[in-house]
Amino acid sequence: MIRLQHISKIYESGGQQTAALREINLHIKPGDIFGIIGHSGAGKSTLIRHINLLERPTTGQVVVDGVDMTALSYRKLQEERRSIGMIFQHFNLLSSLTVKENIAFPLRLAKLPQDKVQRRVKELLGLVGLESHADSYPSQLSGGQKQRVGIARALATEPKVLLCDEATSALDPQTTQSILSLLLAINRRLNITIVLITHEMQVIRSICDRVAVLDGGVIVEEGAVADVFLKPQHRTTRDFVAQVADLSEMDVPGDRSPGSRTRVRITFIGEQTYEPVLYETMSEMNVPFAILQGTISRLKEIPYGQLVVELHASGNEAAQTIAALQSRGLDVEVLTYE
């Protein structure tokens, strides 16, 4: 659906060159919700603006739905951009227009007949839950309502792709969750591909299928959210995971005196999160254990759990117990031997 191939962006100022993006390669599949996470200055906004060519790459190619965007004339590019909607952190609504007029604005630019404009606006007001606010002005709306208008306006021309530039950063946590739920519902209902950038791992964890971690204009890690979240490889990724993952970097309490014990971190994914896999395995192996720390949560709709467990076993007995756990599909990481 979306391919970024060898994208680099170099800015020049006063004879100095600054690389905002370096050799970016991404493939985003149709219907996915793809997250791009990074700290301020990592190049997130620059990257997402390359997808609709609001920023043109210094080198590289942008292909959207089979169309090489970088090879288009200005007129053709304007036409292709109608298939790419975009919502912004600060809403960018026209203050002098009502809600329904803001939503209708791109349709009027496209010179659609008035009856089609009215029908489409009514449909979108229902989709984002703002039927009762059709005649309100932006100044009369809450932040969450403004963003719903922004989403409806971005969807007006029935795009194939929706770009979200820090769409929830200006919202409180409760409103953020309602907007994320709306984006997830839109993705399911319309099968629209969504690309969002954020600096919050909670956003990625809530609705994304895949994620790329950006640091200094370079993608340092990419993969399925479950893989990246539960097994972060890069330091920057581990920093983001630590925002929401209780067990990633915490010091685990417990008896640290020498003895025949092995401390492990066990990760459960899917329905096994709620099954007595640990108890059954330990009973079969006849190994006493103690749970030192644990959490259960969700990655999008996938349940997962992480436990730090102290096995009262060492050496060959511990190795056999770990192998038994792994044979049941659990991920087991040895933390310490004592």
Side-chain angles (χ1 to χ4, degrees):
M1 179 62 180
I2 301 172
R3 286 189 181 273
L4 304 183
Q5 298 175 320
H6 307 292
I7 295 293
S8 293
K9 179 66 177 181
I10 309 296
Y11 292 105
E12 293 192 22
S13 178
Q16 299 290 321
Q17 291 189 339
T18 302
L21 299 174
R22 291 180 285 172
E23 278 294 309
I24 299 294
N25 291 283
L26 278 180
H27 177 210
I28 300 172
K29 297 178 182 178
D32 268 5
I33 302 181
F34 193 98
I36 300 169
I37 190 168
H39 295 297
S40 296
K44 304 187 300 297
S45 291
T46 302
L47 177 55
I48 201 170
R49 288 165 62 87
H50 273 72
I51 296 175
N52 57 5
L53 254 63
L54 291 177
E55 291 273 3
R56 186 170 286 273
T58 305
T59 60
Q61 188 180 38
V62 179
V63 179
V64 180
D65 199 24
V67 177
D68 182 356
M69 303 286 284
T70 46
L72 297 178
S73 66
Y74 178 78
R75 183 177 63 82
K76 287 288 187 182
L77 179 59
Q78 292 297 96
E79 291 177 4
E80 286 298 325
R81 279 179 177 155
R82 292 175 187 168
S83 66
I84 305 174
M86 192 165 189
I87 59 176
F88 305 89
Q89 178 180 358
H90 297 296
F91 321 126
N92 288 9
L93 302 181
L94 298 170
S95 60
S96 61
L97 301 184
T98 64
V99 166
K100 65 183 180 184
E101 289 168 342
N102 265 282
I103 298 172
F105 188 72
L107 299 173
R108 298 194 191 286
L109 288 179
K111 298 181 180 180
L112 263 66
Q114 179 62 21
D115 61 330
K116 290 187 177 180
V117 171
Q118 291 180 346
R119 187 161 57 248
R120 181 66 175 152
V121 169
K122 183 178 180 181
E123 177 185 342
L124 289 166
L125 285 168
L127 180 65
V128 300
L130 289 177
E131 301 98 320
S132 62
H133 295 278
D135 296 312
S136 299
Y137 288 89
S139 61
Q140 299 171 303
L141 303 177
S142 67
Q145 289 168 337
K146 290 177 183 177
Q147 195 56 283
R148 286 172 181 266
V149 179
I151 292 170
R153 181 182 59 186
L155 295 174
T157 56
E158 300 183 78
K160 301 172 186 176
V161 175
L162 180 62
L163 307 179
C164 306
D165 189 355
E166 295 276 12
T168 61
S169 293
L171 306 175
D172 62 76
Q174 184 175 356
T175 306
T176 290
Q177 197 54 52
S178 72
I179 293 299
L180 294 177
S181 296
L182 175 60
L183 290 174
L184 184 57
I186 288 169
N187 169 257
R188 288 174 178 159
R189 178 171 173 178
L190 305 180
N191 197 35
I192 188 172
T193 304
I194 297 178
V195 183
L196 62 86
I197 64 170
T198 182
H199 60 273
E200 299 173 289
M201 196 65 188
Q202 179 60 38
V203 171
I204 300 295
R205 185 170 76 167
S206 295
I207 67 169
C208 291
D209 301 295
R210 296 183 64 82
V211 61
V213 182
L214 200 62
D215 186 28
V218 177
I219 293 175
V220 296
E221 195 160 351
E222 182 198 352
V225 170
D227 293 336
V228 173
F229 184 82
L230 296 175
K231 301 177 185 178
Q233 302 299 309
H234 193 271
R235 173 184 51 80
T236 300
T237 312
R238 290 195 294 269
D239 288 345
F240 280 116
V241 170
Q243 295 177 359
V244 289
D246 295 334
L247 302 182
S248 293
E249 301 293 339
M250 292 186 67
D251 184 43
V252 179
D255 181 8
R256 296 181 180 272
S257 59
S260 56
R261 300 184 182 188
T262 304
R263 190 168 294 149
V264 297
R265 179 184 289 116
I266 303 173
T267 300
F268 306 76
I269 300 178
E271 292 308 312
Q272 67 180 188
T273 302
Y274 304 113
E275 296 173 356
V277 181
L278 177 61
Y279 172 78
E280 290 174 354
T281 305
M282 294 306 181
S283 296
E284 290 173 8
M285 301 299 296
N286 196 29
V287 171
F289 68 98
I291 296 175
L292 304 181
Q293 202 172 48
T295 185
I296 293 177
S297 190
R298 285 182 174 268
L299 295 167
K300 196 172 181 179
E301 296 176 323
I302 303 173
Y304 78 94
Q306 283 190 319
L307 298 176
V308 174
V309 176
E310 190 168 76
L311 310 178
H312 290 219
S314 63
N316 190 52
E317 186 181 21
Q320 290 177 347
T321 303
I322 290 169
L325 289 166
Q326 292 171 333
S327 71
R328 289 175 174 254
L330 303 181
D331 182 80
V332 184
E333 175 191 359
V334 176
L335 301 178
T336 60
Y337 290 103
E338 296 185 353

